[in-house]
Amino acid sequence: MPNTIHYSPEALIDMDKTYDYIRIELQNPIAAKNTIDGIRNAIQDLKTLDNIGVKVFLPNGLETAYRFIHFKKYLIFYRQVEHDVFIDRIMHGSRDYINVLFGSEIE
């Protein structure tokens, strides 16, 4: 049975912001389209491949429910529960993803 992909509102906003940044700020509409297409293709792999990618650990070593896969420099953070895959955030690898994902919860 294939997995079902669910996008959080934040993940959809992340994709919109990524597209807009590349298209408008970098003035490269072709790269913007190719980047979003690549991210979507990477996510499609999660329909048939269970729990792929890298596990996310907190700085104190505790394992979280998150894993991430990537397309070029973009990280796609997801959780899988049985046959449901929840895409929670998509961000550039240079960002402090622990703080974005968990904020003050880890302090």
Side-chain angles (χ1 to χ4, degrees):
M1 166 187 270
N3 297 322
T4 303
I5 306 294
H6 307 275
Y7 289 88
S8 73
E10 293 85 1
L12 295 173
I13 291 168
D14 291 340
M15 281 200 293
D16 286 344
K17 286 183 175 182
T18 297
Y19 179 84
D20 288 346
Y21 174 76
I22 297 169
R23 184 177 63 83
I24 297 167
E25 297 295 322
L26 301 181
Q27 299 181 2
N28 195 336
I30 294 170
K33 180 185 182 318
N34 291 342
T35 299
I36 296 304
D37 288 347
I39 289 169
R40 287 185 177 142
N41 289 338
I43 290 169
Q44 290 306 303
D45 289 343
L46 297 172
K47 283 187 171 182
T48 55
L49 301 171
D50 290 331
N51 293 308
I52 62 172
V54 179
K55 290 181 180 181
V56 175
F57 290 86
L58 295 176
N60 63 8
L62 290 176
E63 185 176 336
T64 72
Y66 285 101
R67 288 181 173 266
F68 72 86
I69 57 174
H70 67 88
F71 174 74
K72 296 188 177 181
K73 295 180 181 180
Y74 290 89
L75 307 178
I76 303 153
F77 291 89
Y78 77 94
R79 296 169 293 117
Q80 183 167 348
V81 180
E82 296 182 10
H83 293 292
D84 290 304
V85 175
F86 300 93
I87 308 299
D88 288 323
R89 296 300 303 257
I90 300 164
M91 65 188 87
H92 193 272
S94 64
R95 294 195 55 199
D96 177 4
Y97 62 84
I98 293 294
N99 190 46
V100 173
L101 292 172
F102 301 102
S104 62
E105 294 176 25
I106 61 169
E107 293 178 22

